[in-house]
């Protein structure tokens, strides 16, 4: 989940804070402009859920592990503050973060508007749904750091130089697409082949869309979820093969 240039996060009592997104090119070839969050940031401030590994993708009844208490667009990115829930899962994830075992963030959102410049897809408007703590982010720069290292992330990366002869900007409205978020109805309608495995407890780790194409946000989310021994462990080899072929985690 997941533009996610640098996600610098430090523990802060019962919560954490850091960069959920900045405008670096992600593994899907997208750049999420900071202003894209403007239309939904107020709603996210009011009740923005924090999940572990985009858990709501696989289980619509998944409980958040925290809630955002603030979100601000500044310094070329989206900065959030959040507090941990008092559930066992939330405290377990909190321990992974404070121990430095898990160190990345991802955002789940519905893209609304995008434009293409120089062959790069720029998302200019979106609906922010959630922020997740993840093991494998969409953007390799979305890292959680210790407080003492925050200074190294204080200044955003310089903007890239414009093309000498920029291509015409092509704007388009995106309808019906979701990054790192599918509804439970959509998942229920997917064929069995869209899932990594099926056992007596049901179908696990959807990572192909309704057309049969590999969906990278959900592949990354599946890899994050299967990394937790408490979740179903079937299909790990299948997911790993997809990850190698797609360059996820390289």
């Amino acid at each position: 989940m997941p533009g996610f240039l640098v996600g610098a996060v430090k523990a802060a009592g019962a919560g954490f804070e850091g960069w959920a997104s900045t405008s670096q090119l992600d593994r899907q070839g997208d750049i999420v402009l900071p202003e894209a969050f403007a239309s939904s940031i107020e709603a996210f401030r009011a009740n923005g859920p924090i999940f572990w590994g985009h858990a709501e993708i696989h289980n619509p009844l998944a409980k958040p592990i925290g809630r955002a208490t603030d979100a601000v667009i500044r310094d070329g990115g989206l900065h959030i503050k959040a507090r941990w829930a008092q559930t066992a899962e939330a405290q377990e994830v909190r321990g992974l973060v404070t121990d430095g075992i898990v160190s990345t963030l991802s955002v789940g959102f519905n893209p609304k508007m995008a434009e293409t410049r120089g062959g790069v897809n720029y998302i200019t408007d979106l609906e922010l749904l959630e922020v997740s703590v993840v093991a494998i982010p969409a953007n390799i720069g979305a890292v959680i750091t210790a407080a003492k290292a925050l200074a190294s992330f204080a200044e955003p990366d310089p903007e890239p130089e414009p093309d000498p002869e920029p291509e015409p900007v092509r704007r388009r409205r995106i309808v019906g697409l979701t990054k790192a978020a599918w509804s439970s109805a959509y998942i229920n309608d997917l064929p069995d082949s869209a899932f990594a495995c099926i056992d007596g407890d049901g179908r696990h780790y959807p990572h192909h869309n309704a057309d049969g194409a590999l969906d990278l946000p959900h592949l990354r989310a599946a890899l994050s979820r299967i990394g937790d021994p408490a979740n179903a462990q079937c299909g790990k080899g299948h997911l790993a093969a997809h990850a190698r072929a797609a360059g996820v985690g390289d």
Side-chain angles (χ1 to χ4, degrees):
M1 316 195 355
F4 321 94
L5 173 57
V6 174
V9 176
K10 63 179 180 180
F16 67 87
E17 64 179 89
W19 296 101
S21 173
T22 60
S23 51
Q24 178 173 308
L25 184 70
D26 68 20
R27 283 176 168 143
Q28 295 174 263
D30 295 334
I31 290 178
V32 179
L33 297 177
E35 56 267 29
F37 295 98
S39 64
S40 58
I41 194 170
E42 287 296 335
F44 186 77
R45 282 195 195 107
N47 192 31
I50 308 296
F51 284 97
W52 162 244
H54 301 295
E56 80 291 350
I57 296 173
H58 311 285
N59 178 10
L61 299 180
K63 296 179 176 64
I65 60 170
R67 185 180 75 80
T69 58
D70 194 19
V72 180
I73 300 169
R74 64 177 176 85
D75 298 333
L78 177 68
H79 186 272
I80 70 165
K81 294 182 180 180
R83 61 181 176 85
W84 298 106
Q86 294 304 307
T87 62
E89 181 182 16
Q91 294 307 306
E92 181 180 2
V93 176
R94 181 185 181 186
L96 293 174
V97 171
T98 56
D99 289 346
I101 296 171
V102 174
S103 60
T104 47
L105 295 173
S106 180
V107 294
F109 60 89
N110 287 326
K112 294 180 178 180
M113 293 285 292
E115 59 188 44
T116 301
R117 302 198 299 260
V120 176
N121 188 48
Y122 290 79
I123 295 176
T124 58
D125 189 23
L126 58 82
E127 179 189 13
L128 179 60
L129 302 174
E130 51 90 7
V131 173
S132 282
V133 179
V134 297
I136 303 175
N139 189 294
I140 60 174
V143 296
I144 297 172
T145 69
K148 64 182 180 181
L150 287 177
S152 64
F153 297 98
E155 295 297 330
D157 283 357
E159 293 294 327
E161 292 295 326
D163 295 333
E165 297 182 1
E167 296 179 3
V169 173
R170 301 194 304 274
R171 293 183 173 86
R172 63 190 184 280
R173 180 172 294 276
I174 302 176
V175 180
L177 294 179
T178 302
K179 294 189 72 169
W182 284 342
S183 70
S184 58
Y186 183 88
I187 294 173
N188 288 338
D189 289 340
L190 289 173
D192 289 348
S193 59
F195 296 80
C197 63
I198 303 173
D199 61 18
D201 294 324
R203 305 189 299 176
H204 304 284
Y205 310 120
H207 57 286
H208 291 277
N209 62 25
D211 296 326
L214 180 65
D215 185 271
L216 291 181
H218 290 83
L219 173 62
R220 283 189 289 268
L223 291 166
S224 294
R225 294 292 292 167
I226 207 169
D228 183 347
N231 295 323
Q233 294 299 296
C234 59
K236 184 178 292 186
H238 178 82
L239 294 172
H242 273 314
R244 288 192 298 271
V248 173
D250 291 346

